[in-house]
Amino acid sequence: VRQGRYSPAGGLTFRRFLDEGFGGERAVLADFDRHLTTLFPEVRLKHVIEVRGADAVPPGLTCSLPALWKGILYDAGARAEAQALVAAATPEEREAVRPLVARRGLAARYVGRPMLELARELAAAAREGLRRIGHAGRRDADESPYLDPIFEQLEVGASPGQVVLDRWEGEWGRSLDRLIAYARYCYPRRLRRRPGASGGSACRSSR
């Protein structure tokens, strides 16, 4: 990109761009920064720490996901508890379980332990972390109620994807219309208010 204009590089690798240049231009630091945005690891360091483990969740969990990460990452005690949950595994074992979790969700196992059990402990650590870092005097001094939908999901004992799969094979009868209706973005107004506030819902189709 030069002067706001994109120039197709025809499949040129960034390594070759560094070595040879392209169209009379040599690579600069801004090109490297832009190149890094094409990488999609689980965690990406930008101006913030971008956690990419879940790009999209059902509307009911929209506020729960950032609350989970805040409870874990912003509190030293919660970080230590989270680390302890995986400390016994080798790096190779951690990598090996990633595709299993992607495929089986909460039904997977992590080094002999049920993933559901680990998820419950992680969510509990996040809840206590949020309580410890609560800000007195703010509207949501205690943000731990935002985690309630996660605990409700854990009580179901299945990940959201598994729930959809079960409904697809069961009550929906493999109906695409039923699936599309489920996948619409319907945000209960309570998600845009503090926990416990009542309200209706605002929907828009994702189609």
Side-chain angles (χ1 to χ4, degrees):
V1 179
R2 292 294 185 271
Q3 298 180 346
R5 298 186 64 179
Y6 287 79
S7 299
L12 181 74
T13 66
F14 193 75
R15 182 181 295 276
R16 283 188 58 195
F17 183 34
L18 286 173
D19 293 339
E20 306 170 12
F22 174 73
E25 298 285 351
R26 305 296 300 189
V28 296
L29 183 58
D31 296 313
F32 185 67
D33 286 341
R34 188 172 295 107
H35 178 62
L36 291 180
T37 67
T38 68
L39 307 178
F40 298 97
E42 287 294 303
V43 178
R44 187 164 61 177
L45 182 61
K46 301 173 75 174
H47 294 292
V48 297
I49 297 177
E50 182 183 12
V51 183
R52 300 183 44 80
D55 278 342
V57 294
L61 295 171
T62 299
C63 293
S64 299
L65 183 61
L68 178 75
W69 282 118
K70 180 178 180 179
I72 294 169
L73 297 179
Y74 284 41
D75 178 73
R79 290 197 302 272
E81 290 182 58
Q83 177 62 30
L85 290 175
V86 298
T90 65
E92 293 76 17
E93 287 172 324
R94 294 175 193 171
E95 284 300 308
V97 81
R98 287 178 59 193
L100 298 178
V101 173
R103 178 175 291 273
R104 304 197 63 206
L106 293 174
R109 297 184 70 85
Y110 182 85
V111 194
R113 292 190 64 188
M115 188 59 62
L116 178 60
E117 181 180 302
L118 288 169
R120 284 173 174 154
E121 293 183 31
L122 184 67
R127 178 170 58 191
E128 293 308 310
L130 286 174
R131 288 172 176 170
R132 284 191 291 266
I133 63 177
H135 302 283
R138 294 190 177 181
R139 187 186 68 175
D140 297 326
D142 176 11
E143 294 177 310
S144 63
Y146 285 111
L147 296 177
D148 289 348
I150 288 181
F151 287 101
E152 293 170 6
Q153 188 73 48
L154 293 173
E155 282 300 310
V156 172
S159 58
Q162 185 61 53
V163 171
V164 170
L165 181 59
D166 290 343
R167 297 178 75 178
W168 169 259
E169 297 288 356
E171 64 183 275
W172 292 347
R174 297 195 169 200
S175 167
L176 287 176
D177 289 338
R178 298 287 295 275
L179 177 62
I180 292 171
Y182 171 84
R184 285 178 177 170
Y185 290 98
C186 297
Y187 296 96
R189 287 199 175 91
R190 63 182 177 83
L191 295 180
R192 294 183 277 132
R193 304 181 181 187
R194 67 177 186 272
S198 61
S201 62
C203 304
R204 64 180 176 85
S205 174
S206 59
R207 289 178 289 180

